[in-house]
Amino acid sequence: MVSIYGQTLDDLKSQFKENGLNESGASLIYNYLYKKGHESFTIANLAKETIRFLEEHYELTIPEVSLESGEETKKFLIRFSDFEEVECVLIPFQGKHTLCLSSQVGCAMKCSFCYTGTQGLSRHLEAFEIVGQLMAVKKYLREKNLEKTISNIVFMGQGEPLHNFSAVRKACEIFLSQHGLSFGREKITISTAGYLPGLKEWSADPLKVNLALSFHCPDERIRSELIPLNKQYPLKEVLAEIKKLPLEKKRFITFEILLIKDLNDREEYAHQSAHLIKDMSPLINIIPFNPIPGSSYERPLDELVERFREVTESYGIPSMVRKTKGDEILAACGQLKS
Ligand code: SF4
């Protein structure tokens, strides 16, 4: 038995075809599971042999979800069948929600500002486990009549999504299906620390969703301190690869800059950052460091944060300071607590 939540619509259609079943049943089951929120294959207008096939080959388990904390921004703990756990975060915005998903249990990248990075990689998530996070939170929201309020998905939770790109790609295809959850391409963002092999996979077979890069600092030495992966795949090479990605009209690439006191908050870095990316259809998202226990890094002064923003904006780059929704529960990017 495999999980139905790891099947793209095309997967299901070809399995139906191979087994002599009507392919249109695949769209129907997608509609019932994802749009109507059914958790059963017993659907009135589905042929009996299709229901039997589904029951014999697929299971419908949604991972266990528990609310960990948060008044407005909510952090959930998601537990899979092998008892491994990840966190995902629901962030409110103008009556809707952005759901921040994890792509791995732990993470191999060891970024110096990140809780998850201190623990190493336990395992990759399968596509059905990524989709399962969304289904679990939707189920939680359904009880409050709010299940239709998830409007955006960001891969900014635990893990480096491009280190597990085949599963992330498959999950995105499931999110995008018009017969199912039907998210718009512009509503899904994959955030990477700059894992070059994954970026190459992406540009070889473009997945038309948004990209965000954890940019942090134009100085390769400081960036390597923050993201050790930068020693292997320097920023210069990462930016060159990103330039190869076909960008749809009116799309932006988001550059996340985590500002840390006395490390990368200097005005000269704002100028250098802007020079490097100004021709890449950029948006800059400045995140003042959110102090975590055990870290020597500190939050930068508000005036330096604002000055950094003014400088990048002076190059015509839309720049904003994230008011770290999620501060209360350590849920800012890369700082999910395990
Ligand atoms: S910031 Fe992201 S890529 Fe870096 S260690 Fe944390 S989870 Fe991994």
Side-chain angles (χ1 to χ4, degrees):
M1 294 275 256
V2 292
S3 171
I4 192 85
Y5 297 112
Q7 309 300 311
T8 65
L9 186 60
D10 284 346
D11 289 341
L12 271 187
K13 280 185 177 172
S14 61
Q15 284 145 25
F16 279 20
K17 195 174 174 191
E18 272 170 33
N19 288 277
L21 301 169
N22 191 334
E23 283 179 55
S24 65
S27 312
L28 263 182
I29 191 74
Y30 245 60
N31 188 282
Y32 274 88
L33 293 179
Y34 293 118
K35 279 203 167 57
K36 306 214 161 125
H38 281 260
E39 283 182 60
S40 152
F41 294 130
T42 318
I43 295 162
N45 49 354
L46 205 56
K48 283 203 172 54
E49 64 267 29
T50 304
I51 295 175
R52 199 174 321 117
F53 176 79
L54 287 165
E55 285 173 347
E56 281 170 11
H57 292 85
Y58 300 101
E59 47 109 6
L60 280 154
T61 313
I62 289 174
E64 268 178 51
V65 60
S66 54
L67 179 64
E68 267 220 312
S69 55
E71 285 291 313
E72 287 190 27
T73 299
K74 293 184 169 53
K75 183 164 73 169
F76 297 93
L77 194 64
I78 308 280
R79 179 180 288 178
F80 301 110
S81 55
D82 61 356
F83 301 108
E84 290 280 21
E85 291 174 335
V86 295
E87 286 166 349
C88 65
V89 181
L90 194 63
I91 306 157
F93 182 68
Q94 295 179 346
K96 299 277 182 184
H97 288 99
T98 293
L99 185 63
C100 174
L101 296 178
S102 292
S103 54
Q104 298 172 311
V105 183
C107 182
M109 302 303 150
K110 298 189 169 21
C111 299
S112 60
F113 51 84
C114 172
Y115 262 122
T116 310
T118 60
Q119 296 164 11
L121 177 67
S122 179
R123 70 171 173 86
H124 294 302
L125 294 186
E126 303 278 348
F128 76 89
E129 293 171 316
I130 297 172
V131 176
Q133 292 170 64
L134 176 93
M135 299 309 288
V137 175
K138 263 174 95 73
K139 192 172 173 179
Y140 169 89
L141 290 173
R142 193 175 304 136
E143 283 152 24
K144 300 172 171 24
N145 237 350
L146 290 170
E147 67 163 313
K148 293 198 190 329
T149 61
I150 301 176
S151 60
N152 292 62
I153 292 172
V154 293
F155 284 88
M156 287 184 187
Q158 290 170 3
E160 161 54 55
L162 297 190
H163 191 210
N164 185 21
F165 190 51
S166 56
V168 168
R169 177 195 286 280
K170 196 171 198 188
C172 287
E173 283 168 14
I174 294 168
F175 295 147
L176 292 166
S177 172
Q178 291 300 308
H179 293 278
L181 294 158
S182 57
F183 279 91
R185 295 185 180 280
E186 70 289 355
K187 302 289 186 186
I188 300 177
T189 301
I190 296 176
S191 176
T192 178
Y195 186 69
L196 198 55
L199 273 172
K200 287 187 172 170
E201 259 185 80
W202 187 339
S203 52
D205 183 7
L207 172 68
K208 291 180 181 161
V209 299
N210 297 321
L211 169 72
L213 174 71
S214 297
F215 181 89
H216 302 335
C217 191
D219 180 288
E220 299 275 7
R221 188 187 55 81
I222 294 178
R223 190 168 189 271
S224 295
E225 178 188 322
L226 293 167
I227 305 175
L229 181 73
N230 192 67
K231 291 178 203 151
Q232 203 176 347
Y233 306 120
L235 180 64
K236 205 168 71 177
E237 290 177 26
V238 168
L239 293 179
E241 193 62 40
I242 289 176
K243 282 181 185 164
K244 292 185 198 161
L245 287 176
L247 200 61
E248 304 222 317
K249 278 186 190 150
K250 297 189 188 159
R251 288 287 188 82
F252 294 93
I253 294 172
T254 304
F255 293 86
E256 310 270 358
I257 299 183
L258 182 72
L259 275 192
I260 296 172
K261 189 179 177 191
D262 297 334
L263 184 71
N264 61 347
D265 58 351
R266 290 179 5 208
E267 193 175 322
E268 67 180 276
Y269 292 140
H271 287 286
Q272 289 172 17
S273 302
H275 272 293
L276 276 176
I277 64 173
K278 63 181 187 315
D279 300 326
M280 297 177 71
S281 201
L283 275 179
I284 288 184
N285 197 2
I286 298 165
I287 309 154
F289 180 69
N290 180 23
I292 52 176
S295 169
S296 57
Y297 295 147
E298 291 176 40
R299 192 181 180 98
L301 297 173
D302 287 349
E303 15 332 350
L304 287 184
V305 174
E306 184 49 26
R307 183 64 198 138
F308 202 101
R309 191 197 66 75
E310 282 170 5
V311 170
T312 54
E313 188 112 339
S314 72
Y315 286 80
I317 303 173
S319 306
M320 65 198 88
V321 176
R322 194 198 289 175
K323 301 287 182 214
T324 47
K325 281 199 170 178
D327 266 4
E328 47 174 326
I329 52 171
L330 288 169
C333 175
Q335 294 181 64
L336 287 184
K337 182 177 182 299
S338 291

